[in-house]
Amino acid sequence: YLDTGAMYRAATAAVLSNSIDIRDENAVELCTDSIEIDFDESGSRVFLNGVDISSEIRGQIVTDNVSAVSALFIVREKMVELQRKIAGNRNSVVEGRDIGTVVFPNADFKFFMFADITERAKRRHKDLVRLGIDRTVEDIVQDLKQRDKLDSTRAVSPLMKAKGAIEIDTTAMTIHEQIN
């Protein structure tokens, strides 16, 4: 399992922790060229240069900046290369907003999963509560709307349904129903 969104969040955390202006593409490129992103065997823990940053990347500062950093061509190019390296030579479940369109356009199976924005916010709220982060569902809805807009309209690798992808509305599904 590969959560590519966590990779973009890790890259964003690296840029922010080095106090780099996210509009300074040269500095962002130097930073992202020097980082190492890895996962534990389950794919649920994320490591940046050997340090577990799984909780940090779900925080508000990363959330507020991840769309801008991940929209940069140089960041996307590096992450796509790394994603292909990690998952390209084995059977993998890869999650992300451009997996079927850009990263693995020839994947055997493609799914375009979506849910009502309020349901997505409730799910994110549960995740944040587990991390000890206090946000309202209403604030999360606004964050998600903004991020969806940015990701759908970016010039490089925009969020869109891949040709031939199977659409699945997960709004009323449990996680087990989604997997099935």
Side-chain angles (χ1 to χ4, degrees), residues 7-8 74-86 98-99 102-104 157:
M7 296 173 73
Y8 286 103
I74 53 172
V75 174
R76 296 206 76 77
E77 184 176 54
K78 177 170 177 58
M79 292 300 109
V80 168
E81 177 185 324
L82 186 55
Q83 291 157 16
R84 288 177 177 158
K85 181 180 174 186
I86 293 171
D98 66 348
I99 301 307
V102 175
V103 183
F104 295 109
S157 303

Side-chain angles (χ1 to χ4, degrees), residues 101-172:
T101 56
V102 175
V103 183
F104 295 109
N106 297 319
D108 293 332
F109 302 98
K110 298 177 193 178
F111 301 95
F112 186 79
M113 300 174 81
F114 61 95
D116 170 79
I117 192 96
T118 303
E119 179 60 29
R120 289 172 52 208
K122 289 176 183 176
R123 292 172 185 169
R124 176 95 169 113
H125 183 261
K126 284 182 186 178
D127 291 340
L128 294 175
V129 166
R130 277 193 292 272
L131 295 171
I133 299 170
D134 185 29
R135 298 284 318 280
T136 67
V137 171
E138 294 76 18
D139 286 343
I140 297 168
V141 165
Q142 293 310 309
D143 290 348
L144 290 172
K145 284 181 181 179
Q146 178 65 16
R147 183 163 170 239
D148 287 350
K149 181 180 178 187
L150 291 170
D151 290 355
S152 297
T153 59
R154 68 179 173 229
V156 180
S157 303
L159 163 64
M160 67 172 63
K161 178 185 166 194
K163 183 177 181 184
I166 298 166
E167 281 191 28
I168 303 173
D169 182 349
T170 67
T171 302

Side-chain angles (χ1 to χ4, degrees), residues 19-143:
S19 301
I20 295 171
D21 182 340
I22 61 176
R23 296 168 296 195
D24 183 345
E25 291 190 36
N26 290 329
V28 171
E29 181 174 18
L30 286 172
C31 178
T32 56
D33 278 347
S34 68
I35 62 174
E36 186 177 309
I37 299 170
D38 204 359
F39 295 85
D40 68 356
E41 288 184 19
S42 71
S44 62
R45 309 233 30 102
V46 185
F47 298 87
L48 176 63
N49 300 327
V51 177
D52 185 346
I53 60 163
S54 305
S55 296
E56 178 186 335
I57 65 169
R58 302 299 174 187
Q60 197 58 44
I61 187 87
V62 171
T63 297
D64 288 345
N65 290 279
V66 68
S67 286
V69 172
S70 66
L72 297 173
F73 175 77
I74 53 172
V75 174
R76 296 206 76 77
E77 184 176 54
K78 177 170 177 58
M79 292 300 109
V80 168
E81 177 185 324
L82 186 55
Q83 291 157 16
R84 288 177 177 158
K85 181 180 174 186
I86 293 171
N89 294 321
R90 59 183 178 214
N91 289 330
S92 301
V93 173
V94 184
E95 173 190 352
R97 292 184 163 212
D98 66 348
I99 301 307
T101 56
V102 175
V103 183
F104 295 109
N106 297 319
D108 293 332
F109 302 98
K110 298 177 193 178
F111 301 95
F112 186 79
M113 300 174 81
F114 61 95
D116 170 79
I117 192 96
T118 303
E119 179 60 29
R120 289 172 52 208
K122 289 176 183 176
R123 292 172 185 169
R124 176 95 169 113
H125 183 261
K126 284 182 186 178
D127 291 340
L128 294 175
V129 166
R130 277 193 292 272
L131 295 171
I133 299 170
D134 185 29
R135 298 284 318 280
T136 67
V137 171
E138 294 76 18
D139 286 343
I140 297 168
V141 165
Q142 293 310 309
D143 290 348

